[in-house]
Amino acid sequence: SEFSSGMGRPSLVAVLNDMEKSSKPIVAAIDGVALGGGCEVSLGCHFRVASTRTQIGLPEVNLGLLPGAGGTQRMPRIIGVESAIDFMCSGVPVPAAGAAKVGIVDKVIEGDKAAVLKGAVDFAASKVGAEVRRLCDVTAKSPGNDVFDKKRKQYAKARPGEAAPQAIITCIAASTDRAFDQGMQVEGKEFKLLMAGDQSKALQYMFFAERECAKIPGLSAKPGPMEHVGVIGAGLMGGGIAMCCAEAGMKVTLLDVDAKNLERGMNVIKKNYQRSVERKSKTQAKVDALLSLIQPSTKYEDFANCDIVVEAVYENMDLKKKIFATLDQVCKPGCMLASNTSYLNIDAIASATKRPEDVIGCHFFSPANVMKLLENVRGTKTSPKTIATAMAFGKKIKKITCLVGNC
């Protein structure tokens, strides 16, 4: 990638400038994800057609960078300055429908790649003889210095200490008060400063490390089913794990042998979700649907059909062994039996069962519904299928998942 080998020649900036100067209409046919440079390529085209499944974004801020191929100059010329700042400083992609609504995409096509290609060809044919639309010929309208000041304060608070959001705002401001070529000079200068800085190097390292840690050399086993999860312990950790699983669309049985603890735990979950409604990050309908997936129980027999069971009680070896011996009796063959222990020996816990190959550690960090890391701990006898299931489980609940040894 350009992160390790540097930018190739000709530069993407030069290619897009040549594309944009074409007198013939160029239509971007977008299917799937168009992030970063892919999005900038589409902006260098005169028109954009996308499939319904398309996601479009400029997430460079998450790598400590800014869009360096004209994104900071072309995007505000389409969607306006304030929207462009939020689009780039959040780094969150938008679906095709949302992109069309704000004008990034000219037409959304139902169907697969072939349908999008045909739609783009037809769209280009409809523009023959018409004047092409070059974003470099447009000037972004300035919303006023007060808006730029407000946005700087907003992202200084949202992303404290990060240089990239402030640099992005500087570049977008340049799209409003000077010619396109001069704005590109500002973008190039700010990009080089960020690229050479420690923040971007650290964030790029983290980006690739997070993806590398999910790869297990030599693991060819396929994961087992992950439709129904049992969670033991309705405390802060167990409740958080239950929320993670429900939000991944999994059916959850939350068990606590103490009915009062179970009721208290369910109330905490409900309060957490109610705060989401109040913050408007979730609708009441969404919360109701999530809560319907979490069924409280005081009986281990309700784990009979679970594909995965995660134990999340306090750190006591005798108690955990007792629980796993019970799970050995009630859970179906092949059910993954996981302990959330942070330091107890997984092999010792597995010894309480007749199926140590199904036992693994799944160490969440508190609060489990917020913290991103999941540490899977393999025991001496943990099977490849159980490891594959634990890694797939982490991915399904959107955790950064790594595999470690027992110690």
Side-chain angles (χ1 to χ4, degrees), residues 127-207:
K127 297 297 179 181
V128 172
E131 185 177 350
V132 295
R133 183 183 61 192
R134 298 184 180 94
L135 293 174
C136 64
D137 292 337
V138 180
T139 300
K141 183 178 179 181
S142 176
N145 290 333
D146 57 329
V147 171
F148 287 114
D149 292 341
K150 182 184 75 172
K151 288 297 181 183
R152 286 190 184 281
K153 291 176 182 177
Q154 176 184 336
Y155 285 100
K157 182 178 180 180
R159 306 186 77 124
E162 294 186 31
Q166 301 303 317
I168 287 170
I169 295 171
T170 296
C171 293
I172 292 175
S175 73
T176 69
D177 63 4
R178 65 199 74 190
F180 180 82
D181 289 346
Q182 293 174 318
M184 286 297 298
Q185 291 176 12
V186 174
E187 181 184 276
K189 177 184 176 182
E190 294 293 332
F191 181 85
K192 288 177 182 178
L193 288 172
L194 292 175
M195 192 70 173
D198 290 339
Q199 285 189 14
S200 68
K201 293 174 183 176
L203 288 168
Q204 288 162 38
Y205 176 87
M206 184 174 73
F207 176 84

Side-chain angles (χ1 to χ4, degrees), residues 88-381:
M88 287 179 245
C89 289
S90 71
V92 177
V94 297
K101 186 175 181 180
V102 297
I104 300 174
V105 169
D106 297 288
K107 189 174 183 179
V108 177
I109 301 288
E110 291 277 358
D112 56 11
K113 180 179 178 181
V116 176
L117 285 173
K118 182 179 184 304
V121 170
D122 291 344
F123 192 92
S126 74
K127 297 297 179 181
V128 172
E131 185 177 350
V132 295
R133 183 183 61 192
R134 298 184 180 94
L135 293 174
C136 64
D137 292 337
V138 180
T139 300
K141 183 178 179 181
S142 176
N145 290 333
D146 57 329
V147 171
F148 287 114
D149 292 341
K150 182 184 75 172
K151 288 297 181 183
R152 286 190 184 281
K153 291 176 182 177
Q154 176 184 336
Y155 285 100
K157 182 178 180 180
R159 306 186 77 124
E162 294 186 31
Q166 301 303 317
I168 287 170
I169 295 171
T170 296
C171 293
I172 292 175
S175 73
T176 69
D177 63 4
R178 65 199 74 190
F180 180 82
D181 289 346
Q182 293 174 318
M184 286 297 298
Q185 291 176 12
V186 174
E187 181 184 276
K189 177 184 176 182
E190 294 293 332
F191 181 85
K192 288 177 182 178
L193 288 172
L194 292 175
M195 192 70 173
D198 290 339
Q199 285 189 14
S200 68
K201 293 174 183 176
L203 288 168
Q204 288 162 38
Y205 176 87
M206 184 174 73
F207 176 84
F208 290 110
E210 286 176 356
R211 282 145 186 81
E212 193 66 27
C213 75
K215 301 175 183 177
I216 312 301
L219 182 66
S220 59
K222 302 298 182 184
M226 296 179 288
E227 302 302 318
H228 188 177
V229 178
V231 179
I232 304 170
L236 178 64
M237 183 62 75
I241 295 171
M243 292 174 69
C244 291
C245 295
E247 291 180 27
M250 307 164 84
K251 181 181 177 182
V252 181
T253 298
L254 178 61
L255 181 145
D256 200 302
V257 294
D258 186 316
K260 289 185 178 179
N261 284 344
L262 183 60
E263 181 180 6
R264 187 182 304 114
M266 287 299 300
N267 285 336
V268 170
I269 292 173
K270 291 174 183 177
K271 288 179 182 177
N272 285 338
Y273 279 137
Q274 188 56 44
R275 280 195 289 270
S276 297
V277 174
E278 292 168 358
R279 292 195 302 264
K280 297 183 179 180
S281 60
K282 288 183 176 67
T283 65
Q284 187 61 54
K286 177 64 174 177
V287 165
D288 291 342
L290 291 171
L291 288 172
S292 72
L293 291 173
I294 305 175
Q295 297 300 314
S297 173
T298 58
K299 299 178 180 178
Y300 278 92
E301 289 76 13
D302 289 337
F303 286 162
N305 294 317
C306 285
D307 303 310
I308 296 171
V309 174
V310 181
E311 164 270 308
V313 302
Y314 61 91
E315 299 284 25
N316 180 284
M317 180 61 83
D318 290 338
L319 176 59
K320 290 181 186 287
K321 282 186 173 182
K322 181 180 179 181
I323 288 171
F324 273 75
T326 303
L327 295 177
D328 195 26
Q329 297 297 317
V330 302
C331 292
K332 65 184 181 182
C335 174
M336 186 183 91
L337 307 180
S339 174
N340 181 59
T341 182
S342 58
Y343 66 88
L344 294 178
N345 191 303
I346 293 298
D347 289 334
I349 294 172
S351 71
T353 75
K354 296 177 182 178
R355 50 168 111 177
E357 68 277 4
D358 293 338
V359 179
I360 194 167
C362 284
H363 178 212
F364 290 79
F365 292 77
S366 186
N369 55 306
V370 175
M371 302 299 285
K372 295 173 66 176
L373 181 63
L374 173 62
E375 184 183 54
N376 288 332
V377 187
R378 62 174 154 192
T380 304
K381 297 181 180 179

Side-chain angles (χ1 to χ4, degrees), residues 29-42 50 53-59 87 93-94:
I30 310 170
D31 180 42
V33 292
L35 304 178
C39 177
E40 289 180 291
V41 168
S42 75
R53 64 184 178 182
T54 290
Q55 297 275 328
I56 296 177
L58 292 170
F87 188 67
V94 297

